[in-house]
């Protein structure tokens, strides 16, 4: 909440401090209600770089109810005063009339919404907060145009007391200021040792290195050592350090505050220490305090800073398109920037090194803290993830902190489109939704194959939605009396029925496809990615009860159509003499019949022609069966010279032969004639196995794809076993597994990573645990531990990988015994088999 209209703050840019009138454009960072003075606040930054607060005091809050529920509302003796008026919106179903209840005070609306919930009276917008309702009415999605008079502010540069608030026409430059915060604490009592802040204006690749500034505040006494390249301020006590940090944030005046794991560690710790010292936690653009809301169960914590947004960089990176071996700041920084933290050790070694630096080299300690904050800004800039967050928020209309939430974004987009049509959303009611089922998986054929092509449907689920008018409103308003045969509804294979009247989702997808194509044509991959992930999220949203539009039959209609056309395509390829080895959701792996002399251009010609013919057949079938235009498009994606599907382990060992779904490897052909080993869903690309298993699998696959035989294969395994038992591979034995919830919440079972976390003393903590499997079981790497259990690594990491490849290649099924501890016979390697005990 913004407690008062900000005033008397000097501008952060050169400007005349007198009142000015005109048209200004900017971006809304935070919206809130002041219930005491019954007004709305919209806070953000203008294109010219000034922070602003816009005050809306004339708009009055309201809720809609069904006309038939007026009697029930009117009979509530404790109902707050509300004015009944005809609604300008239709109900979602179109079968009910709505009334609008207008309130003169925001507190009355809040009380009214609680009464509606208690009385069981549904409302389409009772759960919509007033600032969101106002912005929906105005069609404002973040970029905003402000018309009217402004004056200097206290907590912001300018205040608009009575502006006209409109959606900004055309593109808006978004010069948001971002500050990254990192804290260092005493591992014993949790007190602060240092707070580093790094900040910048526009967070882009070009500006980040040129414009970034930083400072660090350290608990301690200054020494005579030279400065470490960053402004360093010393404080005699923690209270003065905290107070100075709060002043820093208000002086820097960022729109966004971020950090690595910021919401699960830094922010709550700062809030705790301020409370401990009775220091107002006033980080925002008002006199109100920042607040932390702890997570429950699997839900992570959240933060509120009036007038600003809090974004956890770790969460954003996890939501982004790029995958990493783990999500520590050190790993992500190394992979993205090619450089990392000043202290590179981890676990206990890291804690000891930081303790030493704090005692002996406090300036380097401070530089370490500030560098961590700076690395976060550089990662967000280099990956484009900060801009991606802004683009998502600007397109959907949700706040920056919710830009990566699928359900909230979908509901906001859909409500905007409903508003254009004069229709209210459906009430949010509790109901069972079976969930978004996985795609169709065709039984894979185990084995090693030659010259395989992969075909995939381009954006299959979005194009199915667009082709068959799959849409919540089209389902709700599916028919009316006297409908003609030409207007007969569309029936999906799962029985769901949809109107032929153009739906909202198909229109949105058509718009997004066009916008994505424009973005790709101008080389803007970030904007293109925004449209892609939004379209792809529609299916999952329709299959969750968390979304007011989620229904089992909606999600089922999409997957049932996908199955229908995947099977159609499989049968078509088979009819062309090209057997299908495997299929999953939107992809088919097809034997081309080409020989090993075929180059990539031959694949392109052959498979391009096949895809074109199949698309014509698809279009004809859709037109004949549904009288619709097909937007589905199959295309040739890639070619493998060699392709391997390993056996499904448990069934293969029981004598049943079946390929493993979602796990395969191949020798991928590139357009320039070169090739490389590619692995999907197998150990080589899984972060929860050891580096040993990943390396061994890649090397064995490369050997097999290059034409290596059983003898070379056995020699490779023999050498790996010898090195393993000699201790030469100890650096590749570390497991890295993430705890999705604190270790104390595991009660029914205790996975090895949980045992390791408990040995480290973890409580109320999540994260990645590093451990070895020793002769005493799982033990943390960072603590003294017993010697590695080499038999465990042989049985669980090396032999399963080798066995699956050998089986797929059609070699001796008993090349390697199933368990080293149960081996009864050890044959000499000269006889063609392997002595694994050496």
């Amino acid at each position: 909440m913004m407690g008062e209209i900000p005033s008397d703050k000097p501008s952060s840019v050169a400007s005349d401090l007198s009142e000015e009138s005109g048209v200004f454009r900017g971006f809304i960072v935070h919206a809130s209600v002041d219930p005491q003075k019954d007004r709305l606040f919209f806070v953000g930054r203008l294109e010219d770089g000034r922070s602003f607060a816009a005050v809306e005091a004339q708009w009055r809050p309201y809720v809609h109810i069904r006309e038939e529920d007026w009697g029930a509302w009117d009979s509530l003796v404790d109902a707050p005063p509300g004015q009944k008026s005809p609604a300008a919106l239709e109900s979602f179903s179109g079968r009910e009339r709505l009334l609008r209840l207008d309130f003169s005070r925001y507190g009355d609306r809040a009380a009214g919404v609680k009464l509606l919930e208690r009385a069981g009276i549904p409302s389409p917008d009772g759960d919509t907060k007033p600032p969101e309702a106002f912005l929906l009415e105005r069609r404002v999605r973040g970029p905003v145009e402000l018309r009217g008079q402004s004056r200097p502010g206290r907590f912001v540069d300018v205040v608009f007391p009575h502006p006209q608030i409109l959606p900004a026409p055309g593109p808006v430059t978004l010069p948001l200021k971002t500050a990254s915060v990192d804290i260092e604490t005493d591992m014993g009592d949790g007190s602060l040792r240092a707070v580093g802040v790094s900040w910048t204006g526009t967070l882009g690749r070009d500006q980040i290195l040129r414009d970034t500034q930083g400072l660090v505040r350290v608990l301690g006494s200054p020494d005579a050592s030279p400065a470490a390249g960053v402004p360093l301020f010393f404080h005699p006590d923690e209270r003065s350090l905290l107070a100075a940090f709060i002043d820093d944030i208000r002086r820097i005046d960022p729109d966004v505050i971020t950090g690595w794991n910021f919401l699960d560690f830094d922010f709550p710790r700062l809030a705790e220490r301020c409370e401990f010292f009775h220091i107002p936690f006033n980080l925002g653009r008002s006199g109100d305090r920042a607040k932390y809301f702890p997570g429950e169960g699997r839900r992570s914590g959240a933060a509120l800073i009036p007038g600003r947004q809090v974004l956890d960089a770790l969460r954003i990176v996890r939501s982004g398109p790029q995958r990493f071996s783990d999500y520590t700041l050190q790993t992500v920084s190394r992979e993205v920037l090619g450089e990392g933290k000043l202290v590179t050790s981890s676990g206990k070694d890291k804690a000891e090194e930081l303790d030493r630096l704090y005692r002996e080299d406090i300036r380097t300690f401070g530089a370490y803290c500030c560098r961590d904050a700076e690395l976060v800004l550089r990662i967000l800039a280099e990956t484009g993830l900060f801009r991606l967050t802004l683009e998502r928020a600007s397109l959907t209309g949700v706040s920056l902190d919710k830009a990566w939430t699928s359900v909230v974004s979908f509901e906001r987009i859909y409500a905007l489109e409903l508003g254009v049509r004069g229709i209210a959303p459906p009430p949010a009611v509790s109901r069972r939704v079976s969930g978004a089922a996985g795609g169709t998986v065709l039984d894979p054929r185990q084995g090693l194959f030659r010259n395989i092509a992969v075909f995939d449907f381009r954006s299959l689920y979005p194009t199915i939605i667009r082709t068959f008018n799959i849409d919540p409103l089209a389902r709700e308003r599916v028919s009316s009396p006297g409908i003609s045969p030409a207007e007969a509804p569309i029936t999906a294979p799962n029985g769901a029925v949809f109107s032929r009247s153009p739906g909202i989702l198909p229109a949105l997808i058509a718009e997004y496809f066009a916008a994505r194509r424009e973005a790709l044509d101008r080389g803007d991959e970030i904007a293109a990615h925004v449209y892609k992930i939004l379209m792809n999220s529609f299916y999952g949203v329709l299959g969750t009860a968390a979304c007011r539009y989620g229904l089992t039959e909606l999600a089922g209609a999409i997957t049932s159509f996908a199955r229908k056309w995947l099977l159609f395509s499989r049968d078509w390829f088979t009819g062309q003499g090209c057997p299908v080895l495997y299929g999953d959701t939107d992809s088919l792996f097809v034997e081309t019949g080409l020989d090993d002399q075929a180059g990539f251009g031959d694949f392109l010609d052959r498979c391009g022609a096949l895809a074109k013919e199949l698309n014509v057949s698809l279009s004809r079938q859709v037109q004949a069966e549904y009288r619709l235009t097909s937007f589905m498009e199959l295309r040739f994606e890639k070619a493998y010279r060699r392709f391997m599907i390993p056996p499904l382990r448990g069934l293969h060992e029981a004598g049943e032969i079946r390929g493993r779904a979602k796990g395969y490897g191949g020798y991928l052909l590139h357009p320039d004639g070169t090739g490389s080993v590619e692995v999907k869903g197998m150990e080589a690309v899984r972060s929860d196995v050891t580096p040993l298993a990943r390396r061994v699998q890649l090397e064995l696959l490369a050997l097999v794809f290059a034409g290596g035989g059983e003898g070379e294969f056995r020699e490779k395994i023999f050498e790996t076993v010898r090195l393993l038992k000699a201790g030469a591979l100890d650096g590749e034995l570390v497991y890295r597994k993430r705890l999705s919830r604190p270790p104390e919440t595991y009660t029914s079972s205790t996975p090895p990573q949980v045992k390791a976390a408990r040995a480290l003393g973890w409580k109320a903590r999540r994260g990645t645990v590093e451990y070895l499997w020793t002769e005493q079981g799982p033990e943390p790497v960072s603590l003294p531990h017993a010697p590695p259990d080499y038999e465990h690594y042989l049985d669980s990491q090396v032999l399963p990988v080798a066995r699956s490849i050998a089986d797929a290649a059609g070699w001796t099924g008993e090349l390697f015994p199933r368990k080293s501890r149960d081996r009864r016979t050890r044959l000499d390697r000269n006889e063609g088999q392997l002595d694994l005990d050496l």
Side-chain angles (χ1 to χ4, degrees), residues 776-787:
Q776 302 300 319
E779 295 186 280
V781 175
S782 59
L783 298 179
H785 51 75

Side-chain angles (χ1 to χ4, degrees), residues 279-461:
I279 298 173
F281 197 35
N282 291 343
L283 294 178
R285 286 165 165 160
S286 78
D288 298 317
R289 299 185 181 189
K291 297 177 182 178
Y292 178 68
F293 305 96
E296 297 180 2
R298 294 179 179 270
R299 292 180 58 190
S300 299
L304 171 65
I305 300 181
R308 312 191 202 280
Q309 286 294 346
V310 178
L311 301 180
D312 193 316
L314 172 59
R315 297 186 190 178
I316 293 176
V317 170
R318 284 187 177 278
S319 300
Q322 189 173 353
R323 303 271 69 85
F324 298 93
S325 56
D326 66 64
Y327 287 85
T328 61
L329 179 58
Q330 171 69 1
T331 297
V332 175
S333 179
R334 281 287 179 192
E335 295 189 28
V336 172
L337 305 174
E339 56 184 286
K341 298 154 70 82
L342 291 182
V343 174
T344 59
S345 53
S346 60
K348 184 180 179 182
D349 293 339
K350 173 185 173 184
E352 291 176 350
E353 175 64 9
L354 289 177
D355 282 343
R356 186 194 67 77
L357 286 175
Y358 185 65
R359 293 191 310 269
E360 303 174 6
D361 188 356
I362 198 167
R363 290 186 181 273
T364 300
F365 178 82
Y368 165 84
C369 179
C370 198
R371 181 177 175 84
D372 276 11
E374 179 193 323
L375 288 174
V376 169
L377 294 181
R378 292 176 60 192
I379 288 168
L380 292 177
E382 183 62 31
T383 58
L385 284 170
F386 187 77
R387 190 193 150 203
L388 191 57
T389 303
L390 284 177
E391 295 280 359
R392 282 179 63 97
S394 300
L395 181 60
T396 62
V398 303
S399 56
L400 289 171
D401 62 325
K402 293 183 173 61
W404 290 92
T405 57
S406 297
V407 170
V408 175
S409 297
F410 180 90
E411 290 195 352
R412 175 75 176 192
I413 294 168
Y414 207 86
L416 283 164
E417 296 300 324
L418 285 173
V420 171
R421 294 161 175 77
I423 300 172
V429 296
S430 177
R431 61 187 180 281
R432 290 182 60 84
V433 179
S434 64
T440 298
V441 177
L442 306 181
D443 287 341
R445 285 170 50 192
Q446 173 200 324
L448 180 62
F449 306 93
R450 296 171 178 267
N451 300 308
I452 303 303
V454 181
F455 295 83
D456 81 320
F457 283 95
R458 181 185 178 196
S459 300
L460 178 61
Y461 286 177

Side-chain angles (χ1 to χ4, degrees), residues 501-527:
S501 298
I504 289 174
L505 286 190
L508 279 174
I509 287 171
E511 176 187 330
Y512 291 173
F513 261 115
R516 182 167 189 264
R517 175 47 55 194
E518 276 185 28
L520 289 172
D521 289 345
R522 66 175 184 267
D524 190 346
E525 294 192 6
I526 290 177

Side-chain angles (χ1 to χ4, degrees), residues 18 139 142 229 253 264 280 284 290 313 344 436 441 543 610 617 664 673 780 823:
S18 61
R139 315 272 194 266
D253 191 28
D264 286 328
T344 59
V441 177
L610 286 170
S617 295
Y664 53 84
R823 296 185 190 103

Side-chain angles (χ1 to χ4, degrees), residues 357-660:
L357 286 175
Y358 185 65
R359 293 191 310 269
E360 303 174 6
D361 188 356
I362 198 167
R363 290 186 181 273
T364 300
F365 178 82
Y368 165 84
C369 179
C370 198
R371 181 177 175 84
D372 276 11
E374 179 193 323
L375 288 174
V376 169
L377 294 181
R378 292 176 60 192
I379 288 168
L380 292 177
E382 183 62 31
T383 58
L385 284 170
F386 187 77
R387 190 193 150 203
L388 191 57
T389 303
L390 284 177
E391 295 280 359
R392 282 179 63 97
S394 300
L395 181 60
T396 62
V398 303
S399 56
L400 289 171
D401 62 325
K402 293 183 173 61
W404 290 92
T405 57
S406 297
V407 170
V408 175
S409 297
F410 180 90
E411 290 195 352
R412 175 75 176 192
I413 294 168
Y414 207 86
L416 283 164
E417 296 300 324
L418 285 173
V420 171
R421 294 161 175 77
I423 300 172
V429 296
S430 177
R431 61 187 180 281
R432 290 182 60 84
V433 179
S434 64
T440 298
V441 177
L442 306 181
D443 287 341
R445 285 170 50 192
Q446 173 200 324
L448 180 62
F449 306 93
R450 296 171 178 267
N451 300 308
I452 303 303
V454 181
F455 295 83
D456 81 320
F457 283 95
R458 181 185 178 196
S459 300
L460 178 61
Y461 286 177
T463 55
I464 284 175
I465 291 172
R466 188 180 176 193
T467 298
F468 299 102
N469 205 38
I470 297 174
D471 176 71
L473 188 65
R475 177 198 167 275
E476 187 68 26
R477 301 188 175 191
V478 69
S479 61
S480 60
I483 192 168
S484 68
E487 299 171 329
I490 303 160
T491 303
N494 74 328
V497 182
F498 302 92
S499 166
R500 288 182 180 268
S501 298
I504 289 174
L505 286 190
L508 279 174
I509 287 171
E511 176 187 330
Y512 291 173
F513 261 115
R516 182 167 189 264
R517 175 47 55 194
E518 276 185 28
L520 289 172
D521 289 345
R522 66 175 184 267
D524 190 346
E525 294 192 6
I526 290 177
H529 188 69
V530 169
Y531 291 108
K532 178 181 178 180
I533 57 180
L534 271 176
M535 287 190 293
N536 289 339
S537 72
F538 288 174
Y539 161 65
V541 165
L542 293 176
T544 175
C547 178
R548 71 177 70 224
Y549 303 97
L551 287 171
T552 298
E553 52 265 41
L554 282 173
I558 298 170
T559 51
S560 64
F561 270 123
R563 176 178 177 80
K564 177 185 179 73
W565 302 115
L566 191 73
L567 294 176
F568 176 92
S569 302
R570 178 201 62 185
D571 295 342
W572 186 91
F573 275 117
T574 302
Q576 302 299 310
C578 300
V580 174
L581 301 177
Y582 174 52
D584 186 352
T585 307
D586 60 355
S587 299
L588 292 167
F589 296 72
V590 179
E591 290 190 273
T592 63
L594 295 170
D595 59 31
D596 286 350
Q597 304 306 311
F600 188 85
D602 299 309
F603 275 92
L604 201 60
D605 292 342
R606 165 79 166 143
C607 299
L610 286 170
K612 185 176 181 180
E613 291 177 34
L614 175 53
N615 287 328
V616 171
S617 295
L618 273 171
S619 295
R620 288 173 177 167
Q621 186 64 27
V622 170
Q623 179 60 233
E625 194 169 344
Y626 295 96
R627 291 180 290 107
L628 295 169
T629 299
S630 172
F631 295 99
M632 296 179 291
E633 179 187 353
L634 192 82
R635 59 184 177 180
F636 165 59
E637 183 186 10
K638 54 188 173 183
Y640 293 107
R641 179 69 74 199
R642 296 288 181 273
F643 183 72
M644 173 178 285
I645 300 179
L648 195 60
R649 283 185 186 164
L651 293 177
H652 186 276
E653 293 176 8
E656 183 178 345
I657 298 177
R658 188 187 304 174
R660 186 197 306 182

